Amino acid sequence: MTSFILFAALLVVAVIALLLPPLLRAPKPSPGADHREANLAIFRDQLAELERERANGALDLADFEQAQNELQRRLLDEVQPRASAPSETRPGRKTALALLVVLPLAAAGGYALLGNQQALDPLQRQARITPQQIEGMVAGLVEKLKENPDDSKGWLMLARSYKVLERFPQAVEAYGRASALVDQNPELLADYAEVLSRSQGGNLQGKPTELVERALKIDPNEPQALLLAGAAASDRQQFALAADYWARLLAQIEPGSEESKALAAAVERARQLATQPASAEPAGQASVASGSAAVSGEVTLSGEVAGQARPDDVLFVFARAEEGPRMPLAATRARVGDLPLRFRFDDSMALAGGKKLSDFKTVSIEARVAKAGKAQSSSGDLFGTLTGVKPGSQGLRLLIDQVQP
């Protein structure tokens, strides 16, 4: 936005610089006699031309006389001595001053009336790509990779595209084909580990942990790798190790932010668990409990408010504890054009080390059409809420039918 305003201001200055010098420059002396002599020569040439046309028959007598009389009148006006020629006046500093004031104000006012001020917002300038467009680009990329299967950059792009589409098994395969780029890049190794984990229902043990450890060997402070390493350690009930990983990540996050508060709570909880006796519950039973806490259903939009939503408006669906922290326990993001939308939340989608669905007796599920594109509620948002939802509930029906005042 700043660069746009600066560039516009420079253009206005450039225009003023072009217009002011002629206005401020002292007038040149009148050409006087030279000008009249040139006009007399032109009149003589025109009169000679009329006589030739009369001789050739191109003009009849009446037209010739009329044209000749007109030329003679103009000739008399030209050779007549000018009575006191008015003194030349300078264009005036008032005009220059008026331009200095009017041009910038006119430019600003014109843009305010006719311009698109939202276009100055970087978030608004970003192209909005629908899932259908992504699918089309992915299909084209797949065809190119069939012709050039050794294109590691292409496989990496495909892996990231599959992740956006939440097609995690295909993303895992594409990451594997991009190993030439992934193996020495800690960020890519961590992303690969996350995708592999999500393709396994959130399980970080095994190869995902190996990928995270390789990432941390290359960069001990890689943020996503620290987050996943802590989650993997927590799953193994190595809470002191989990707290250490998350504390290293916490040092990199802006103090006072929502992420910082949530992660600090996770560190504290892990440290508390580290001081307690180890749980005797088998890991398999814990996994079953996590799956049984899942909630799922479908979000639809009421016809009464449908006219206030556009297909590309952002849609958030999230689960919150009815009693406890306001941070979402799980969330997903989509577009209004994706409605009706199926959703499913379980413990694997919780913030690593934070509260999970299974920690609460009841939760609330909310769907929100965010007119400003942000998760925080704002006036004009469309929303719907289900309360008293017990973990494990299936087949929920959530209707968006209210407008945020």
Side-chain angles (χ1 to χ4, degrees):
M1 179 174 180
T2 303
S3 59
F4 171 82
I5 294 175
L6 179 60
F7 182 68
L10 289 175
L11 285 179
V12 172
V13 170
V15 171
I16 292 174
L18 289 174
L19 295 178
L20 288 187
L23 294 174
L24 298 175
R25 191 179 301 124
K28 294 181 179 180
S30 172
D34 291 341
H35 175 72
R36 288 195 295 274
E37 287 297 330
N39 284 344
L40 288 173
I42 293 173
F43 289 142
R44 285 194 292 269
D45 291 342
Q46 289 178 337
L47 184 58
E49 179 67 22
L50 285 175
E51 291 174 349
R52 283 195 297 273
E53 292 182 358
R54 174 73 180 91
N56 295 335
L59 284 176
D60 58 24
L61 181 59
D63 290 339
F64 172 76
E65 291 178 350
Q66 181 179 355
Q68 186 181 44
N69 291 337
E70 177 63 26
L71 276 177
Q72 288 172 348
R73 281 195 299 271
R74 289 166 57 193
L75 180 59
L76 288 174
D77 290 339
E78 183 63 30
V79 298
Q80 235 177 18
R82 297 187 179 180
S84 56
S87 59
E88 297 279 352
T89 59
R90 298 181 63 176
R93 296 183 181 275
K94 291 184 179 180
T95 304
L97 182 60
L99 284 177
L100 282 173
V101 175
V102 171
L103 273 180
L105 291 179
Y111 186 81
L113 291 174
L114 304 175
N116 179 11
Q117 298 179 34
Q118 291 185 345
L120 297 178
D121 185 351
L123 294 178
Q124 295 292 334
R125 292 200 305 266
Q126 292 178 353
R128 293 178 173 179
I129 303 178
T130 65
Q132 292 77 11
Q133 289 174 315
I134 295 177
E135 289 282 5
M137 290 187 286
V138 167
L141 184 56
V142 169
E143 292 301 319
K144 290 182 180 178
L145 289 172
K146 287 180 180 178
E147 300 174 0
N148 186 13
D150 296 328
D151 182 5
S152 296
K153 291 184 179 179
W155 285 111
L156 180 58
M157 187 182 300
L158 183 61
R160 287 171 167 168
S161 300
Y162 279 140
K163 181 183 177 182
V164 171
L165 296 171
E166 298 188 355
R167 293 163 59 177
F168 300 115
Q170 293 94 325
V172 169
E173 181 182 357
Y175 263 121
R177 300 291 294 270
S179 58
L181 295 175
V182 173
D183 288 347
Q184 301 302 319
N185 188 309
E187 294 181 10
L188 296 179
L189 284 168
D191 201 52
Y192 186 10
E194 181 192 356
V195 168
L196 183 56
S197 168
R198 297 185 71 174
S199 73
Q200 299 174 169
N203 184 8
L204 281 163
Q205 306 310 311
K207 187 173 181 180
T209 297
E210 294 176 7
L211 293 170
V212 168
E213 290 174 349
R214 285 165 55 188
L216 291 175
K217 285 182 180 179
I218 300 172
D219 181 0
N221 293 313
E222 207 293 311
Q224 188 178 6
L226 287 172
L227 182 67
L228 296 175
S234 179
D235 289 346
R236 297 192 301 270
Q237 298 188 4
Q238 296 175 330
F239 300 113
L241 182 59
D244 177 64
Y245 282 128
W246 290 331
R248 287 159 57 186
L249 174 59
L250 182 61
Q252 304 180 45
I253 298 178
E254 180 183 357
S257 65
E258 290 295 326
E259 294 83 356
S260 175
K261 293 176 183 177
L263 191 58
V267 171
E268 182 62 27
R269 182 170 183 244
R271 286 173 177 167
Q272 291 175 357
L273 291 172
T275 63
Q276 298 176 2
S279 172
E281 181 183 23
Q285 291 182 14
S287 177
V288 171
S290 173
S292 65
V295 295
S296 65
E298 184 176 74
V299 180
T300 55
L301 183 64
S302 169
E304 296 179 0
V305 298
Q308 302 180 45
R310 298 175 300 178
D312 57 351
D313 281 343
V314 177
L315 170 67
F316 291 101
V317 185
F318 47 87
R320 275 200 183 110
E322 294 193 315
E323 296 181 2
R326 295 300 296 162
M327 284 289 293
L329 303 172
T332 188
R333 172 175 171 155
R335 298 277 181 182
V336 168
D338 300 328
L339 292 172
L341 178 71
R342 297 286 303 173
F343 68 89
R344 183 180 187 278
F345 297 139
D346 57 39
D347 285 354
S348 69
M349 301 175 68
L351 176 65
K355 296 292 186 179
K356 301 179 181 179
L357 286 170
S358 58
D359 292 334
F360 300 90
K361 293 182 179 180
T362 59
V363 298
S364 64
I365 309 296
E366 180 175 335
R368 178 174 295 275
V369 177
K371 306 299 287 185
K374 300 179 180 179
Q376 294 83 0
S377 62
S378 59
S379 180
D381 286 356
L382 313 178
F383 69 98
T385 307
L386 290 176
T387 59
V389 176
K390 295 182 179 180
S393 300
Q394 308 293 317
L396 300 172
R397 292 289 181 268
L398 177 51
L399 180 65
I400 300 175
D401 59 353
Q402 301 178 63
V403 180
Q404 185 76 34

